[in-house]
Amino acid sequence: MYRTHNCGELNKTHINAEIKLAGWVDTIRDHGGVIFIALRDHYGSTQIVINDDTLLSSVNKECVISVEGTLHERAADTIDPKLPTGEVELKVAKLTLLSKALPQLPFEINESKQTREDLRLKHRYLDMRNPKVRENIILRSQVAQFLRGKMIELGFVEINTPILTSSSPEGARDYLVPSRKHHGMFYALPQAPQIFKQLLMVSGFDKYFQLAPCFRDEDSRADRSPGEFYQLDFEMSFATQEGVFAVAEDVMFDTFTKFSDKKISPAPFKRIPYAESMLKYGTDKPDLRNPLLIEDLSAFFSNVDFAPFRNKPVRGIVVSECAKSPKSFFEKMLDFATEIGMKGLGYISVLEGMELKGPIVKFLSPEQQQELITKLNLKEHDTLFFISDVAKMVDRLAGQIRAELGARLSLIDDNAFEFCFIIDFPMYEENEDTGAIQFTHNPFSMPQGEMNALETMNPLDIKAHQYDIVCNGVELSSGAVRNHLPEVMIKAFEIAGYTQADLEGRFPALFNAFQYGAPPHAGMAPGFDRILMLLTNEESIREIIAFPMNANAQDLLMGAPSEVTEMQLREAHIKIR
């Protein structure tokens, strides 16, 4: 037996007991004949005391040892209140070296988060010995267990869907797997279980879920890991959009409440139409902790003879007390505006006595100045920033200015999680290069108005029963009420330029299944990794994954991707060119 206790459980109730511990040597302190070692395992750390330095022959930091001895109470002036074991220490009578460690470590374990990421990932097994890194991985397990329990409590059945499947055009590049048995043919790793979960509904399962692995050959971002990611995938038969929202609100609120001390926005979460979100927040992923709102001033400036705004949409953002800011603040905001592609950043400040000051003021008549004050409810010391650009750019630019103002002025409440649903996404959009009508997002979403809308409305005006859940400016999930009617699906794809043959050829399983009685169904898939990134307040999604790829889609620990042998290539019928 290597141990009678773990390194995190000993306390004063164990004093005078004979104890065996095993773990890694965290630190070694030699106090002239008395050596103190912090012994660390998965559960914590215990101080051990060695009076015979011959026991430490060949032992250095990160060696694995087992020790036996008697537990004693620490002297009052040596108690460590930060440790659960800080009142006791083990006086060692016997030490056994179980495994050596090289004396020169690639980095200090407790400082690994300050180490270059490529070095951390190459030695990830050392990096995860850092308690702070380890806590994230343990939390991942706890959240996964909680989510499974919650979904089962709500009546969902956990079903695993295939990893090897067929290639499907779902918006990102597939990872392809060559077939040895079928010459020249390939499997694909699923970008999402989308078709499988809809087939489960057709099969008669009422409510399905899984913590699903998804594989997309996409470039890395702070909130997106290249290669694979996980989502809480769920689907419901005979469900409306609001039915899905009720489940999402229940699960998200309970999860964030259990694993965070921050304020959580209560259910029902705000429902914000896509068009309103783009106008008021400049994004379809709004951070509602930021109190600033964007105003549409296009109509107002249509009657103002100011050349930079002529025949262009204009947006405004009112910031309270900003007029008191130093000149350097406005200069830095102008620098930011030019960095994101704007030609400038106009503004008007409201002085005492409600006098307006700024380069644009001279273009406004006294009546127009008063109209602006009334329209925006301007007050003394407010500043009104202006954003103007072509229609396809103005909202996103205004959103970036809003976010930057919120950050620079410390307006964002870091102690809150603010959830919302973005709804009423457009079903179609116009391709900027060809002018052709194409799907905006998921082509299997049910159009609002169903067949009547498809036959009578301008496609660009049709909205889909499609929605996102957003928290603190992070898109956690997308979902939709599915199009389960073959005739509506055929018409929807026809508008986007696909024939019925195209539909049957690309999605044969789903299209054929819908010929045999498909229930109305809907669902969504909150991103598991992104939930953890928010709960841990980490800036990179790689911090909550045990063995992540780097930003260049490389596994530095295992050396993937890597070359394979000529024999392996021949077996898979592949020739490198």
Side-chain angles (χ1 to χ4, degrees):
M1 182 169 62
Y2 293 111
R3 59 188 180 186
T4 56
H5 298 78
N6 66 56
C7 292
E9 67 177 302
L10 297 176
N11 54 51
K12 291 171 71 173
T13 65
H14 300 98
I15 287 173
N16 296 324
E18 294 299 311
I19 302 291
K20 290 183 179 180
L21 296 177
W24 285 262
V25 175
D26 191 62
T27 60
I28 303 175
R29 294 176 290 125
D30 189 342
H31 286 205
V34 180
I35 299 169
F36 295 92
I37 289 179
L39 189 66
R40 180 192 73 238
D41 66 6
H42 173 82
Y43 304 97
S45 176
T46 296
Q47 179 167 285
I48 65 174
V49 184
I50 298 174
N51 297 105
D52 181 2
D53 60 5
T54 63
L55 294 176
L56 288 176
S57 177
S58 302
V59 173
N60 49 265
K61 289 174 66 172
E62 296 309 313
C63 285
V64 181
I65 62 173
S66 64
V67 293
E68 299 178 33
T70 307
L71 197 70
H72 292 263
E73 185 174 4
R74 288 199 201 186
D77 59 345
T78 66
I79 289 175
D80 186 348
K82 297 179 182 178
L83 286 179
T85 61
E87 293 183 298
V88 295
E89 59 189 14
L90 184 70
K91 293 193 175 178
V92 175
K94 180 181 178 182
L95 183 151
T96 303
L97 176 61
L98 300 176
S99 178
K100 292 183 179 181
L102 293 173
Q104 187 64 42
L105 298 173
F107 47 78
E108 288 296 320
I109 299 299
N110 291 327
E111 298 175 5
S112 69
K113 292 198 73 170
Q114 286 73 53
T115 303
R116 291 196 331 266
E117 187 179 65
D118 60 342
L119 196 59
R120 291 177 63 195
L121 296 183
K122 184 177 180 180
H123 301 279
R124 185 63 166 167
Y125 44 85
L126 294 179
D127 188 30
M128 285 194 288
R129 293 182 189 177
N130 181 327
K132 292 182 180 178
V133 179
R134 194 174 196 77
E135 285 172 8
N136 286 350
I137 308 306
I138 293 172
L139 179 66
R140 186 183 182 97
S141 172
Q142 294 170 338
V143 174
Q145 182 179 9
F146 180 82
L147 288 173
R148 280 196 170 93
K150 185 69 180 176
M151 297 306 289
I152 292 169
E153 175 189 311
L154 292 172
F156 286 78
V157 177
E158 183 172 12
I159 304 176
N160 296 121
T161 53
I163 298 300
L164 289 178
T165 184
S166 61
S167 179
S168 174
E170 293 188 41
R173 296 182 189 88
D174 284 326
Y175 278 101
L176 300 177
V177 180
S179 169
R180 174 182 61 83
K181 298 192 71 173
H182 302 279
H183 182 263
M185 304 187 79
F186 293 80
Y187 304 99
L189 304 182
Q191 294 188 27
Q194 180 67 48
I195 292 178
F196 288 111
K197 68 180 182 180
Q198 292 190 248
L199 291 173
L200 287 170
M201 300 300 101
V202 180
S203 302
F205 293 95
D206 194 61
K207 291 189 282 191
Y208 134 95
F209 88 98
Q210 69 172 320
L211 282 174
C214 304
F215 305 89
R216 298 179 188 176
D217 188 1
E218 297 179 306
D219 292 335
S220 175
R221 295 191 318 222
D223 65 348
R224 184 170 69 194
S225 178
E228 65 182 281
F229 60 93
Y230 286 77
Q231 58 190 32
L232 175 64
D233 199 54
F234 70 89
E235 196 79 6
M236 306 160 60
S237 288
F238 307 107
T240 62
Q241 177 171 291
E242 282 299 321
V244 175
F245 287 1
V247 171
E249 287 167 337
D250 189 0
V251 173
M252 291 296 101
F253 183 84
D254 283 4
T255 302
F256 277 76
T257 299
K258 179 173 179 60
F259 294 101
S260 172
D261 295 327
K262 295 184 178 182
K263 295 175 292 185
I264 317 295
S265 52
F269 299 158
K270 289 184 180 178
R271 277 78 162 146
I272 305 173
Y274 171 82
E276 178 185 332
S277 183
M278 292 303 300
L279 183 60
K280 291 175 65 173
Y281 306 105
T283 177
D284 58 358
K285 297 179 279 292
D287 187 347
L288 300 187
R289 298 172 302 167
N290 185 343
L292 300 179
L293 298 176
I294 302 167
E295 301 284 346
D296 184 4
L297 300 178
S298 304
F300 174 84
F301 277 98
S302 66
N303 298 316
V304 176
D305 188 19
F306 182 56
F309 293 175
R310 191 174 296 143
N311 299 321
K312 291 180 182 177
V314 182
R315 305 289 185 257
I317 302 174
V318 178
V319 186
S320 299
E321 300 297 313
C322 189
K324 297 178 180 179
S325 300
K327 183 179 179 181
S328 60
F329 172 82
F330 296 94
E331 292 172 345
K332 289 177 180 177
M333 283 303 304
L334 176 59
D335 290 342
F336 174 79
T338 55
E339 286 172 9
I340 63 174
M342 293 176 59
K343 295 179 180 178
L345 182 63
Y347 62 89
I348 288 176
S349 293
V350 184
L351 307 182
E352 292 184 5
M354 297 303 294
E355 178 188 356
L356 302 187
K357 180 182 179 181
I360 299 174
V361 173
K362 64 184 178 183
F363 295 94
L364 305 177
S365 67
E367 293 76 17
Q368 288 172 325
Q369 292 183 41
Q370 186 56 49
E371 181 184 350
L372 198 61
I373 290 170
T374 303
K375 178 180 177 65
L376 299 179
N377 193 26
L378 295 177
K379 299 179 178 60
E380 288 184 354
H381 310 303
D382 285 354
T383 297
L384 170 60
F385 291 89
F386 297 101
I387 301 94
S388 182
D389 209 298
V390 295
K392 67 179 182 180
M393 293 293 296
V394 66
D395 287 326
R396 296 199 180 276
L397 290 172
Q400 289 176 274
I401 294 297
R402 171 183 177 268
E404 187 69 11
L405 286 168
R408 287 184 181 273
L409 295 170
S410 301
L411 300 178
I412 297 170
D413 183 0
D414 290 329
N415 193 40
F417 287 118
E418 286 286 345
F419 286 89
C420 66
F421 291 108
I422 306 300
I423 61 174
D424 297 343
F425 279 87
M427 184 82 179
Y428 300 100
E429 64 185 0
E430 188 176 286
N431 185 295
E432 292 182 6
D433 298 324
T434 66
I437 299 296
Q438 62 188 22
F439 289 111
T440 303
H441 291 294
N442 188 332
F444 297 108
S445 304
M446 180 65 82
Q448 295 182 21
E450 299 186 9
M451 185 65 85
N452 182 62
L454 297 177
E455 291 180 335
T456 63
M457 292 179 63
N458 180 337
L460 298 179
D461 294 332
I462 298 174
K463 294 179 175 60
H465 284 295
Q466 186 169 315
Y467 38 81
D468 286 353
I469 186 168
V470 175
C471 179
N472 291 6
V474 176
E475 179 193 324
L476 285 185
S477 175
S478 62
V481 175
R482 316 302 179 186
N483 187 346
H484 68 287
L485 301 174
E487 64 276 13
V488 178
M489 189 178 295
I490 291 168
K491 183 63 177 177
F493 274 78
E494 178 187 303
I495 291 173
Y498 298 94
T499 65
Q500 181 173 338
D502 292 331
L503 181 57
E504 294 181 31
R506 290 188 179 208
F507 310 102
L510 194 62
F511 187 81
N512 291 335
F514 283 177
Q515 312 302 315
Y516 295 95
H521 55 284
M524 68 186 333
F528 181 56
D529 306 287
R530 290 184 181 179
I531 289 171
L532 288 161
M533 191 176 77
L534 288 173
L535 288 172
T536 56
N537 202 35
E538 294 284 4
E539 295 182 359
S540 170
I541 205 166
R542 291 187 288 278
E543 293 290 350
I544 50 81
I545 299 171
F547 298 105
M549 290 185 177
N550 68 5
N552 200 32
Q554 294 171 297
D555 180 347
L556 299 180
L557 176 62
M558 301 300 293
S562 62
E563 294 180 347
V564 297
T565 66
E566 179 63 25
M567 178 61 72
Q568 289 172 293
L569 292 174
R570 287 178 179 272
E571 286 178 338
H573 318 293
I574 290 177
K575 182 177 181 180
I576 305 297
R577 64 176 183 178

